[in-house]
Amino acid sequence: MPELPEVESVRRGIVRARIREPVTSVWRSKLPLRVGKHWQRKHEQLGILVGAVPGKVRRRGKYLLWHLHADANADDDELVLLIHLGMSGRCGIAQPDQTRVAHTHLVLGFADGRQLRFVDPRRFGGLRAGTLSEIYDRDPIASLGPEPLARSFGGPTLEHSLGRSRRALRDALLDQRAVAGIGNIYAIEACFDAGLHPLLPACRLAPSAWQRLADALVTALRRGIANGGTTLKDFRNVTGKVGRNQDDLRVYGRAGQPCPLCTTPLVAFVHQGRSGVFCRRCQAKPRTRRVA
Ligand SMILES: [Zn+2]
């Protein structure tokens, strides 16, 4: 599932494509996408984008936010296209003569002939257009937790969000209201880098451990971005290329292989229906009440 680094790679790809010409057409498949009240078909409003001029491309957590100006001459007339890649969603910039692949659900045509295509075989992705306030002041964006790559992010931010949670650390990190953009891969990697057992109750971490975990998260996310994202199965960037971070993962997907730090075989686990990996030695679960 695309996490922050994968969505950031897509964002950078759209920025690099330098699309400046207005939207001339919107085609949407008849199939429903993501379920949930924020994603109902009537809220998609993709038709309002026709005539709008593409502007900056932002990201918040795992969400892509493409700003467009409804009127090129007015600054305050901003629209936003919200894209959630879900489990298997992809965004590509295509030429009109390129074959439209199966599972294409959105084609935005621009005046220079190029197209933004959203392809999503499993249909857990989501699309919505609206004004700035319709997108930013409402869920899912409004309730997102702090952005881990923001300058203000650190141990105290994480401790404030999760310090009282009794949930397993890995599961707590996946809560988008506590910290935005983290999924299973980067949570597992960060727990390893911080030397913390992924199933330790979050409330048992001392301030020094929160700082170490925050640093480990930032390192894992930045490495993922530098590698163009992690492709385990579906993820592609806007030019159709796979990411390279799967080769750089330290423990995720490597159960049975030697720990990169101590060579003890890494152990797989399943908790709350999600798999994970850890090192019994480097990420031991201490008996003490607080883990420093
Ligand atoms: Zn180890």
Side-chain angles (χ1 to χ4, degrees):
M1 175 170 181
E3 305 180 27
L4 188 157
E6 290 72 49
V7 180
E8 178 63 22
S9 299
V10 171
R11 187 192 76 81
R12 292 181 182 191
I14 294 176
V15 170
R16 272 196 294 271
R18 292 174 178 274
I19 297 176
R20 302 277 185 268
E21 299 289 314
V23 176
T24 49
S25 62
V26 177
W27 175 88
R28 169 77 170 86
S29 74
K30 295 207 162 31
L31 295 170
L33 289 169
R34 196 173 184 80
V35 290
K37 61 178 177 185
H38 313 305
W39 301 102
Q40 285 170 15
R41 194 72 190 239
K42 64 179 182 202
H43 296 317
E44 283 189 3
Q45 310 189 95
L46 298 164
I48 65 172
L49 299 175
V50 174
V53 180
K56 51 191 181 274
V57 192
R58 291 194 163 156
R59 179 195 53 73
R60 182 80 172 88
K62 303 180 195 176
Y63 297 90
L64 207 57
L65 298 139
W66 195 346
H67 289 227
L68 299 99
H69 294 278
D71 177 346
N73 302 315
D75 272 354
D76 56 349
D77 221 1
E78 217 159 326
L79 299 175
V80 183
L81 168 62
L82 172 67
I83 302 176
H84 184 52
L85 299 177
M87 302 286 284
S88 59
R90 288 179 204 168
C91 284
I93 305 293
Q95 300 295 336
D97 54 352
Q98 274 174 261
T99 315
R100 202 179 281 186
V101 298
H103 310 292
T104 299
H105 295 294
L106 173 71
V107 179
L108 269 195
F110 299 94
D112 65 2
R114 288 187 289 175
Q115 298 176 339
L116 171 83
R117 295 184 186 175
F118 178 77
V119 177
D120 187 2
R122 296 184 65 182
R123 290 195 275 125
F124 286 108
L127 297 166
R128 239 174 77 190
T131 61
L132 274 183
S133 64
E134 279 171 340
I135 300 294
Y136 280 91
D137 299 344
R138 292 182 195 172
D139 282 342
I141 301 299
S143 61
L144 286 175
E147 195 63 30
L149 297 184
R151 204 172 289 185
S152 56
F153 182 80
T157 330
L158 267 187
E159 187 177 11
H160 178 78
S161 296
L162 300 173
R164 272 180 279 180
S165 171
R166 290 174 188 279
R167 298 169 73 193
L169 197 51
R170 189 278 309 264
D171 300 352
L173 287 172
L174 304 185
D175 182 350
Q176 301 300 301
R177 290 162 303 179
V179 50
I182 311 293
N184 199 24
I185 297 175
Y186 295 93
I188 288 293
E189 290 286 295
C191 288
F192 175 77
D193 274 344
L196 295 166
H197 195 295
L199 301 183
L200 193 70
C203 57
R204 281 187 51 195
L205 266 62
S208 59
W210 283 117
Q211 187 57 52
R212 216 161 62 243
L213 183 60
D215 292 344
L217 273 175
V218 171
T219 303
L221 293 171
R222 290 207 185 281
R223 189 165 53 219
I225 293 170
N227 281 329
T230 303
T231 301
L232 296 177
K233 200 170 157 221
D234 297 297
F235 175 70
R236 301 286 185 279
N237 67 20
V238 295
T239 55
K241 289 203 184 112
V242 298
R244 297 179 310 276
N245 199 51
Q246 59 282 8
D247 302 327
D248 243 359
L249 295 174
R250 304 191 74 200
V251 294
Y252 188 89
R254 303 201 189 285
Q257 296 180 28
C259 165
L261 294 179
C262 74
T263 73
T264 306
L266 296 167
V267 181
F269 68 89
V270 177
H271 183 72
Q272 303 281 348
R274 275 201 185 84
S275 64
V277 182
F278 73 106
C279 171
R280 271 204 180 102
R281 217 162 131 191
C282 300
Q283 297 168 271
K285 217 174 183 176
R287 294 219 178 95
T288 47
R289 235 175 60 76
R290 296 273 270 181
V291 178

